[in-house]
Amino acid sequence: MRLAVSTLGLPGEGLGRAIEIATAGGCEGLELRLHPETGVHSGLDAAERRAVRERVEGAGLEISALAGYVGICEPGPDEPVVGALLADLRLAADLGAPGVRVFPRGDDPAVGARRLRAVSGTAGALGLRVLVETHDAMATGAAVAALLAEAGCPETAGALWDLLHPWRNGEPPADSLAALGPHLVYVQVKDAVSAHDTTPVPLWTGSVPLDEAGGLLRGAGYDGWVSLEWERTWYPQVAPVEEILPGAADWVRRFTA
């Protein structure tokens, strides 16, 4: 497994600080949150895109994924959703990222499948994947797997397993991995107080079954990205991400086959 860290854990910090923390923490990659406040978003011009890519690659890092906010199953017309996702995919291609994270934001797999197929040609031509996270209205592996199976474009759409959300919605890690297995291309690791209190805590001090999930991934031979998603943007009272990153590095070492 290859360790990355998400810039969600660095509110108010620039790309330079993110690179510094990632390299000091033994990461191979950065997961870049797409938002105007991070300085990385689809509105960047060509020169700005080159500058971001050169800074990351110049530090010996890769961009593991772009963490976008498109709702692939969000109710409403397709065109705005497809257009926003295409813009994020083109940004990913320019930055050298392998994929773009999306949220479900709805519970109708037919809607999301239709939109994933609509962007599949562009994603394929760019060599990219859309990463559907286990989140919100499709928080379980079973729900995301059903969406991806209906979409039927495995080369351009895959699953992002956030270890917290399926578990807190009652799906054991073994069931999550069994459902996501053929689709799984990305993992986000984190710990939280409990299934009902999602305040982030250092790894192994909360309730998320991290050892069980890690053992399952090792047994399955998973060798893709694992990103520490430390949600300090949403929980500003928690410790800085650089204090949490050593635990994530330890988790990756323990469970890398």
Side-chain angles (χ1 to χ4, degrees):
M1 292 188 275
R2 306 179 69 200
L3 178 64
V5 62
S6 169
T7 56
L8 186 65
L10 291 152
E13 304 277 7
L15 182 60
R17 179 61 176 152
I19 289 170
E20 178 184 334
I21 288 172
T23 53
C27 295
E28 295 184 54
L30 268 177
E31 179 185 305
L32 299 180
R33 175 179 177 243
L34 299 187
H35 194 278
E37 72 182 26
T38 70
V40 182
H41 51 85
S42 61
L44 297 182
D45 63 27
E48 291 168 327
R49 294 174 186 219
R50 283 194 301 273
V52 169
R53 182 168 184 167
E54 288 170 1
R55 289 187 74 185
V56 174
E57 293 180 351
L61 296 170
E62 298 177 38
I63 298 174
S64 59
L66 300 186
Y69 288 91
V70 168
I72 198 67
C73 299
E74 186 173 355
D78 288 351
E79 289 77 9
V81 175
V82 170
L85 183 50
L86 287 172
D88 286 351
L89 285 166
R90 294 185 182 110
L91 176 64
D94 289 341
L95 298 186
V100 175
R101 187 277 306 279
V102 298
F103 288 141
R105 300 296 195 209
D107 59 6
D108 187 345
V111 172
R114 185 173 65 241
R115 293 166 177 172
L116 288 171
R117 289 193 295 269
V119 303
S120 183
T122 298
L126 296 173
L128 302 175
R129 268 201 176 101
V130 179
L131 310 175
V132 183
E133 183 172 337
T134 52
H135 197 273
D136 56 78
M138 292 186 177
T140 64
V144 168
L147 164 61
L148 293 171
E150 183 159 347
C153 42
E155 298 303 314
T156 58
L160 187 163
W161 183 15
D162 181 311
L163 299 183
L164 171 66
H165 297 301
W167 165 77
R168 75 183 186 90
N169 280 273
E171 184 179 69
D175 292 350
S176 299
L177 184 58
L180 295 173
H183 307 288
L184 183 62
V185 294
Y186 201 93
V187 172
Q188 288 177 338
V189 65
K190 65 182 70 168
D191 208 347
V193 172
S194 70
H196 305 291
D197 180 353
T198 57
T199 302
V201 293
L203 272 64
W204 289 292
T205 69
S207 301
V208 178
L210 297 175
D211 286 343
E212 181 181 357
L216 289 163
L217 286 165
R218 180 176 56 198
Y222 177 75
D223 61 359
W225 286 107
V226 172
S227 176
L228 171 64
E229 190 184 49
W230 183 244
E231 297 182 331
R232 198 177 190 214
T233 294
W234 315 132
Y235 299 86
Q237 76 278 15
V238 300
V241 69
E242 58 267 32
E243 296 181 14
I244 310 303
L245 192 50
D250 185 25
W251 189 88
V252 166
R253 283 191 297 270
R254 289 191 194 190
F255 297 110
T256 296

